C-alpha cells in the first residue's frame, strides 16, 4: 500500500518538477519584450482589446479564441507582459504531464518509465515555443488533446467514469473551436481514426469485455461531434489571408519532378530532430561532425522505433486494453506529414529541424515510450531481443533529449542577452525618424525577428509607448 501511494506521489511530483525547471529556464533565458509575432498582435488588437469588431471576424477560429481572453487579462491586469504567456505555456505543459500521470497511475506504469516520459515532455528541444509566449495556447491545446485521448481510452477499456461519454461529445467543440487552431487537423483525424478503429474492433470481436458482433453506434455520434467543428474551422480558415515570406510559390508536383526525394529527406530530418534537437543537428552538420546522410540515418532510426511500437501494439494485442499508445503513434506520424505539407513551399530541408515543431513531433515519441513501458511489464511474453531493442531506443531518446536540454541550459545566458538587446532597442524605436528607421532597418528586422515592414515594427512600439504597456509600463 505504501509503495503504491509513493508511486502516485512521484507521478504527480515529476510534472511539477518539470514546471519548475522550465520556469527556471524562462527566467534565465528571457526578458519581457515584444518581438516576432507579437508585433503583428500589437498592431492588430491593441490597445482596445475589448473591441468586438476585432473578434467577430470571418476567420475568428483561426485566431484561437482563447487568446482573446488571455490578451484582455494580460493588458488590463499585467500591462501586457510576455512573461505571463510564457508561464501559461509552461503550466500547460505541466497539465499535459499530469494527464500522463493519470494514465500511468491507472496502468501501473513503472516510475522509471514515467520519468522517461517526463524527460521527453519537459525537454528543452521546444525552447523556441517556450520562450515565445504567443504559443502558450498551443501547449494548452496539446494538454487538451491528451486529456481527450485519456477519456476515450477509459471508455474503450471499460473503465469509464461518470460523464466520460458526455465529454467525448463536448470536448471536440471546445478544443477545436476554442484553442486548437491549426493543430485541430491532426487532433480530429486521430479521433476519427480511433473511433472507427473502436467500432471495427467491437464488430470483429477483438475487444475484451464487450458484446461481440454488433456496431456501437455511439461512436458515430462522437465522430459527428468531431467532424462538424472541424468543418466549421475549415470554413473559417478559408477566409483567412495568409502570408508566407520566403515561399517559392512552386507547386508540389513541380518540386517532385525536379527533386523526387525531397519529401523523404525532409521527413527523415524531421524524425531526426526529435532524437537530438534540430539546432544541435544543424550545428553538427555545419561543423562537419555529421553529414546529411548520417542525419537521415538518425531519422530512419526513429522511424524504426515507430514501426516497432506499432508492431508491438498488435503483436501483444495492447489495443484490447488501451488504445492511447496507438492514438499517440498515429498523431505523431501525422504531425510529421502535416508539417511537410505546410512547409514544402519553402523547399528547405532545414525547416524540418525547427524547434517550433518539437511539441508536435514529440507526440509520437510519447506513444513509443508508452508502448515499450506496457510491453516491458509482460516479461513472460517478451523475449530478451525485444527488451534489448526497446532499451536501446529509449537510451538513445534519453541521451539525445538530455544533450539538447544541457546545451540549451548553456545557451540560456546568451538568449537572455539577446532579449535584453531587444528591450533596449525597443525603447528607441518609437522616436526614430524615417531616415533612421531605414538606416537601421536590417538591425531592427534581425533583432525583432520581423520582416514584414519596418513601419509595422515602429507602429507596434508606439502603441505600447502611448499606452504604457510592456517595456514602457511604469
Amino acid at each position: 500500500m505504501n509503495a503504491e501511494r509513493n508511486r502516485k506521489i512521484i507521478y504527480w511530483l515529476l510534472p511539477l518538477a518539470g514546471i519548475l525547471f522550465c520556469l527556471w529556464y524562462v527566467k534565465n533565458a528571457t526578458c519581457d519584450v515584444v518581438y516576432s509575432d507579437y508585433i503583428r498582435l500589437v498592431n492588430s488588437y491593441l490597445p482596445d482589446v475589448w473591441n468586438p469588431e476585432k473578434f467577430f471576424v470571418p476567420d475568428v477560429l483561426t485566431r484561437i479564441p482563447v487568446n482573446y481572453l488571455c490578451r484582455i487579462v494580460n493588458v488590463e491586469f499585467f500591462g501586457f507582459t510576455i512573461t505571463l504567456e510564457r508561464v501559461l505555456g509552461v503550466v500547460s505543459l505541466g497539465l499535459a504531464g499530469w494527464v500522463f500521470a493519470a494514465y500511468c497511475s491507472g496502468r501501473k506504469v513503472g516510475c522509471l518509465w514515467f520519468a522517461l516520459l517526463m524527460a521527453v515532455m519537459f525537454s528543452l528541444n521546444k525552447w523556441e515555443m517556450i520562450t515565445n509566449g504567443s504559443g502558450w495556447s498551443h501547449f494548452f491545446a496539446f494538454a487538451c488533446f491528451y486529456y481527450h485521448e485519456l477519456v476515450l481510452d477509459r471508455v474503450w477499456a471499460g473503465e469509464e467514469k461518470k460523464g466520460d461519454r458526455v465529454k467525448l461529445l463536448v470536448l471536440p467543440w471546445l478544443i477545436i473551436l476554442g484553442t486548437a487552431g491549426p493543430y485541430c487537423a491532426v487532433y480530429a483525424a486521430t479521433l476519427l481514426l480511433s473511433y472507427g478503429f473502436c467500432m471495427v474492433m467491437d464488430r470483429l470481436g477483438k475487444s475484451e469485455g464487450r458484446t461481440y458482433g454488433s456496431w456501437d453506434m455511439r461512436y458515430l455520434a462522437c465522430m459527428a461531434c468531431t467532424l462538424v467543428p472541424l468543418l466549421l474551422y475549415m470554413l473559417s480558415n478559408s477566409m483567412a489571408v495568409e502570408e508566407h515570406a520566403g515561399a517559392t510559390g512552386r507547386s508540389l508536383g513541380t518540386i517532385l519532378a525536379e527533386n523526387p526525394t525531397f519529401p523523404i529527406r525532409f521527413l527523415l530530418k524531421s524524425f531526426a530532430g526529435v532524437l537530438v534537437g534540430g539546432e544541435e543537428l544543424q550545428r553538427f552538420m555545419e561543423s562537419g561532425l555529421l553529414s546529411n546522410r548520417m542525419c537521415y540515418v538518425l531519422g530512419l532510426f526513429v522511424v524504426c522505433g515507430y514501426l516497432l511500437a506499432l508492431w508491438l501494439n498488435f503483436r501483444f494485442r495492447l489495443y484490447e486494453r488501451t488504445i492511447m499508445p496507438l492514438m499517440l503513434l498515429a498523431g505523431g506520424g501525422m504531425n510529421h506529414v502535416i508539417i511537410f505539407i505546410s512547409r514544402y513551399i519553402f523547399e528547405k530541408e532545414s525547416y524540418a529541424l525547427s524547434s517550433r515543431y518539437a511539441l508536435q513531433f514529440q507526440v509520437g515519441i510519447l506513444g513509443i515510450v508508452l508502448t515499450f513501458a506496457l510491453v516491458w511489464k509482460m516479461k513472460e511474453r517478451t523475449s530478451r531481443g525485444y527488451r534489448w531493442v526497446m532499451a536501446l531506443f529509449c537510451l538513445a531518446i534519453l541521451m539525445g533529449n538530455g544533450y539538447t536540454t544541457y546545451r540549451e541550459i548553456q545557451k540560456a545566458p546568451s538568449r537572455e542577452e539577446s532579449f535584453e538587446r531587444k528591450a533596449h532597442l525597443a525603447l528607441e524605436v518609437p522616436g526614430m525618424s524615417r531616415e533612421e528607421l531605414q538606416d537601421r532597418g536590417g538591425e531592427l528586422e534581425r533583432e525583432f525577428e520581423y520582416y514584414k515592414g519596418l513601419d509595422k515594427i515602429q507602429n507596434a512600439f508606439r502603441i505600447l509607448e502611448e499606452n504604457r504597456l510592456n517595456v514602457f509600463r511604469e
Side-chain angles (χ1 to χ4, degrees):
M1 184 64 71
N2 287 335
E4 181 65 23
R5 184 184 64 183
N6 291 338
R7 182 162 53 190
K8 288 185 177 180
I9 291 174
I10 293 173
Y11 288 146
W12 295 104
L13 283 183
L14 282 181
L16 178 60
I19 291 174
L20 295 176
F21 168 68
C22 288
L23 289 177
W24 172 85
Y25 172 75
V26 166
K27 178 182 179 297
N28 288 277
T30 68
C31 71
D32 192 16
V33 59
V34 161
Y35 76 109
S36 187
D37 196 45
Y38 278 106
I39 303 292
R40 177 187 63 82
L41 295 174
V42 170
N43 283 315
S44 299
Y45 301 109
L46 270 60
D48 187 8
V49 291
W50 294 95
N51 187 348
E53 293 181 0
K54 295 180 179 180
F55 180 83
F56 293 107
V57 292
D59 63 335
V60 60
L61 300 181
T62 67
R63 306 190 185 197
I64 310 181
V66 71
N67 279 335
Y68 286 87
L69 176 61
C70 177
R71 197 174 297 120
I72 290 171
V73 172
N74 199 351
V75 170
E76 295 294 339
F77 297 101
F78 298 97
F80 198 59
T81 170
I82 309 307
T83 302
L84 171 66
E85 299 192 0
R86 290 170 177 147
V87 170
L88 288 175
V90 171
V91 171
S92 296
L93 194 59
L95 292 177
W98 278 314
V99 170
F100 278 88
Y103 177 87
C104 291
S105 177
R107 298 292 169 191
K108 293 182 170 51
V109 172
C111 290
L112 288 178
W113 285 105
F114 182 67
L116 177 57
L117 286 168
M118 293 301 98
V120 174
M121 182 73 72
F122 293 98
S123 167
L124 294 183
N125 60 357
K126 299 171 283 295
W127 68 268
E128 194 171 357
M129 290 284 286
I130 292 173
T131 57
N132 187 338
S134 64
W136 80 268
S137 57
H138 304 324
F139 286 104
F140 181 64
F142 275 86
C144 293
F145 299 163
Y146 296 141
Y147 178 69
H148 190 160
E149 290 169 357
L150 174 67
V151 173
L152 176 55
D153 188 82
R154 285 201 303 250
V155 171
W156 169 251
E159 302 168 357
E160 65 183 272
K161 298 180 180 180
K162 183 178 180 181
D164 276 354
R165 291 279 181 179
V166 176
K167 290 176 184 176
L168 293 181
L169 300 176
V170 173
L171 283 173
W173 292 91
L174 298 177
I175 295 172
I176 293 175
L177 302 183
T179 188
Y183 300 106
C184 70
V186 170
Y187 163 65
T190 301
L191 288 180
L192 292 172
L193 287 173
S194 300
Y195 292 139
F197 179 83
C198 291
M199 285 188 69
V200 171
M201 289 297 104
D202 271 346
R203 182 68 177 85
L204 296 178
K206 300 293 184 179
S207 52
E208 293 183 344
R210 298 169 183 81
T211 302
Y212 297 158
S214 62
W215 297 100
D216 189 341
M217 305 307 291
R218 290 174 294 183
Y219 287 120
L220 289 180
C222 294
M223 287 182 176
C225 286
T226 301
L227 190 58
V228 174
L230 175 64
L231 293 175
L232 290 175
Y233 178 87
M234 293 171 64
L235 176 63
S236 180
N237 187 61
S238 69
M239 302 177 189
V241 178
E242 297 183 358
E243 299 178 8
H244 295 292
T248 63
R250 300 202 303 168
S251 69
L252 180 59
T254 302
I255 296 171
L256 291 177
E258 290 185 10
N259 196 350
T261 62
F262 174 69
I264 297 174
R265 290 186 282 110
F266 185 100
L267 288 170
L268 286 177
K269 280 193 173 180
S270 73
F271 282 107
V274 295
L275 185 63
V276 180
E279 191 173 57
E280 295 307 311
L281 287 177
Q282 287 180 303
R283 183 174 65 87
F284 290 154
M285 287 187 283
E286 289 169 1
S287 64
L289 294 174
L290 185 74
S291 66
N292 265 310
R293 183 170 296 179
M294 283 305 300
C295 187
Y296 302 143
V297 170
L298 291 178
L300 187 60
F301 175 78
V302 176
V303 171
C304 290
Y306 266 88
L307 295 176
L308 175 61
L310 190 63
W311 160 253
L312 291 174
N313 268 280
F314 288 94
R315 168 68 178 80
F316 295 101
R317 302 168 73 94
L318 295 182
Y319 60 83
E320 292 183 351
R321 300 180 297 281
T322 174
I323 61 167
M324 191 164 179
L326 275 179
M327 288 190 281
L328 294 170
L329 290 171
M334 285 188 284
N335 275 320
H336 285 276
V337 174
I338 204 73
I339 291 300
F340 170 75
I341 292 173
S342 63
R343 290 294 175 262
Y344 78 84
I345 55 177
F346 301 100
E347 299 186 43
K348 292 182 180 179
E349 291 179 31
S350 60
Y351 274 46
L353 296 173
S354 174
S355 72
R356 71 186 64 179
Y357 307 131
L359 180 65
Q360 296 164 264
F361 293 161
Q362 78 174 17
V363 174
I365 300 300
L366 295 171
I368 294 172
V369 174
L370 265 188
T371 299
F372 290 175
L374 294 170
V375 172
W376 195 274
K377 292 169 54 181
M378 306 165 67
K379 294 182 180 180
E380 71 284 354
R381 296 177 58 187
T382 54
S383 67
R384 183 174 297 180
Y386 278 129
R387 298 165 75 81
W388 272 106
V389 172
M390 291 189 293
L392 175 64
F393 185 88
C394 291
L395 181 62
I397 290 295
L398 182 61
M399 291 178 62
N401 280 262
Y403 175 76
T404 302
T405 298
Y406 166 73
R407 287 287 298 157
E408 273 308 312
I409 291 173
Q410 288 186 318
K411 295 175 188 176
S414 63
R415 297 205 189 281
E416 185 179 34
E417 289 176 9
S418 175
F419 279 108
E420 288 174 347
R421 287 197 306 272
K422 289 177 174 63
H424 290 308
L425 185 58
L427 299 174
E428 303 175 28
V429 173
M432 287 184 179
S433 65
R434 181 161 295 278
E435 291 74 20
E436 188 177 5
L437 201 65
Q438 292 297 326
D439 291 341
R440 301 180 67 180
E443 178 190 6
L444 293 172
E445 290 178 335
R446 184 175 58 257
E447 285 293 339
F448 294 114
E449 301 175 29
Y450 192 84
Y451 302 90
K452 299 177 182 177
L454 295 173
D455 56 328
K456 293 181 179 179
I457 295 176
Q458 186 175 53
N459 188 62
F461 285 110
R462 282 178 173 173
I463 291 173
L464 295 174
E465 182 185 44
E466 290 169 3
N467 295 275
R468 298 186 179 184
L469 299 172
N470 196 248
V471 290
F472 300 96
R473 68 180 181 272
E474 296 178 350

